[in-house]
Amino acid sequence: VSTQSTGKTPGPWMVVQVVRCHGVVERHNLDRVLESLRNVCTDEDEEFADWELVLKPDKKAMSTGRPEVRARCTLGEAKQWSLRYLADRDRLMAKPKSITLVREEVEVQTDDNVTGFMSLMGYSVDFEFVRRGWRLQPVLNGLQIQAELFLLCQVPEQHNIAAAEPIDPSYLLEISAVCEHQRSMQHVLNTCSRLAESLFPDFVLA
C-alpha cells in the first residue's frame, strides 16, 4: 500500500485534531436544512457516495495498543481509497445545546489493496456501510467547515455494496472542522456549535 499525506506539512503523516458534531435530520426537514447550509456556503455542494469498512485489530495487535482504523473508498468513476487512524480516546465537549466530539486523526491515501495490507498488520473487517448524500463547505466566522448530509446504508453481505439499502429513512448530518492549533480550539468548537444550533429544531443531535 502506498500512502500520501492529506495534510500540508512535510512528511508522510500529519496528526490533526478534528472537531465533529453528529445528528439526525428527518426526511421532511431535509430541504430546509440543505437550504440553511447552502446559505452559508461559498461553493456549490456536491453529491457523494462512499463505502467505509471499520477494521478491528486481532488479539495480538490489540495487545500492542493499535489505533482504531477505518478504510474508505469513494464510489465515483475514479475510486480512491483512504485510511483513517483514530485516536484511542475521545474528548467530549458539551455546551447547553450542543455536543461536540474532538479527536486526533490521521488520514492517508492508499491503493486498492488496502484490506490485504491491513490484514498483514493484524486487522480484519468488523462491519461496513455505504453513505450517500451531499457534501457542503460552509464558512462561518472565517472557519472552513465540512457538512456531510447522507443516508446510511447497510451492506447485506460482505463487500456487496450494490445491494446496500438505507438503514433508516432519516438522514445523518456530520459537521466537522480541523483545528490546526490548540489555541484556536475554542473558536472551532464555538463555531461548529453555532452552526449546529442554527439548524435546530430540524437537526437533532445524536
Side-chain angles (χ1 to χ4, degrees):
V1 174
S2 66
T3 61
Q4 180 180 356
S5 171
T6 57
K8 299 179 181 179
T9 59
W13 306 95
M14 180 181 179
V15 180
V16 295
Q17 284 190 311
V18 180
V19 172
R20 297 186 187 278
C21 184
H22 302 83
V24 178
V25 176
E26 298 295 339
R27 185 176 287 272
H28 61 271
N29 295 326
L30 177 63
D31 290 341
R32 201 157 45 236
V33 170
L34 271 173
E35 182 180 1
S36 296
L37 289 170
R38 286 167 176 159
N39 286 338
V40 290
C41 287
T42 55
D43 298 321
E44 293 290 325
D45 52 272
E46 60 173 321
E47 293 189 27
F48 78 92
D50 57 34
W51 170 33
E52 185 156 316
L53 297 88
V54 178
L55 306 176
K56 62 179 180 180
D58 58 26
K59 290 183 179 179
K60 182 179 179 180
M62 194 177 299
S63 66
T64 61
R66 297 287 179 88
E68 180 181 336
V69 180
R70 298 190 175 201
R72 180 177 288 177
C73 178
T74 59
L75 295 179
E77 291 184 8
K79 290 182 170 59
Q80 175 62 63
W81 282 91
S82 63
L83 277 173
R84 264 194 311 149
Y85 298 84
L86 307 179
D88 291 337
R89 292 186 179 183
D90 298 336
R91 289 186 291 151
L92 200 61
M93 305 290 184
K95 292 184 69 178
K97 291 185 178 180
S98 64
I99 300 174
T100 309
L101 191 68
V102 180
R103 201 174 201 185
E104 288 188 344
E105 300 183 9
V106 176
E107 184 171 358
V108 293
Q109 305 301 310
T110 70
D111 294 332
D112 58 6
N113 64 339
V114 57
T115 53
F117 172 77
M118 294 307 296
S119 176
L120 294 175
M121 298 292 291
Y123 284 86
S124 61
V125 176
D126 189 9
F127 61 93
E128 55 191 300
F129 55 85
V130 170
R131 307 185 309 158
R132 302 184 188 276
W134 296 268
R135 183 177 291 116
L136 304 96
Q137 305 289 338
V139 178
L140 201 62
N141 294 340
L143 178 68
Q144 178 77 61
I145 300 173
Q146 179 168 272
E148 293 181 325
L149 183 59
F150 57 91
L151 284 172
L152 188 66
C153 303
Q154 183 177 19
V155 179
E157 56 186 10
Q158 191 172 44
H159 303 347
N160 186 10
I161 57 176
E165 293 289 341
I167 295 173
D168 190 274
S170 300
Y171 281 75
L172 299 181
L173 174 60
E174 179 179 286
I175 296 168
S176 63
V178 172
C179 180
E180 297 183 354
H181 305 287
Q182 188 61 39
R183 61 180 179 273
S184 62
M185 176 60 72
Q186 197 58 52
H187 171 66
V188 176
L189 283 168
N190 290 342
T191 304
C192 288
S193 295
R194 179 182 167 191
L195 178 60
E197 290 167 13
S198 73
L199 302 173
F200 294 166
D202 298 325
F203 172 49
V204 180
L205 290 164

